[in-house]
Amino acid sequence: MKLYEVMILTIQVKIFNLIISVIPAYFLWNWIIPDIFPLPEIGLLQMTGLIILIQCIISKGFFSVNTDTV
C-alpha cells in the first residue's frame, strides 16, 4: 500500500473508533453523572471533545507511559 492509502485508512479507522466510543459515553454520562454529582447533561459534540481530550492525554500525545519491561 502507498503512504496516502495508509493515511486515508488510518483516518477512517480513527473516526470510526471515535464514533464507537462517544455514543456509549454520552448515554452513560447523561444517565449517571447528573444524578450523582451536581453536573449538567452534555451534548454529543461536548462528549466528542471530552473523548478527544482524554485520548490525547492518555495516548502518546502529551504523556508517554513507558511499558517496556527490563
Side-chain angles (χ1 to χ4, degrees):
M1 292 180 93
K2 296 181 181 174
L3 181 60
Y4 69 89
E5 292 173 341
V6 172
M7 288 175 58
I8 290 172
L9 183 62
T10 302
I11 291 170
Q12 291 173 347
V13 168
K14 288 196 177 279
I15 291 172
F16 179 73
N17 286 338
L18 181 64
I19 292 170
I20 293 299
S21 65
V22 165
I23 294 174
Y26 166 76
F27 285 115
L28 282 172
W29 177 283
N30 288 332
W31 177 44
I32 297 173
I33 297 300
D35 292 336
I36 298 174
F37 304 106
L39 296 172
E41 293 186 357
I42 61 175
L44 279 173
L45 194 59
Q46 291 171 320
M47 182 53 74
T48 303
L50 187 62
I51 294 290
I52 291 172
L53 179 66
I54 291 170
Q55 287 178 349
C56 287
I57 292 172
I58 291 175
S59 71
K60 295 182 180 181
F62 291 130
F63 302 107
S64 177
V65 177
N66 189 3
T67 59
D68 297 336
T69 57
V70 178

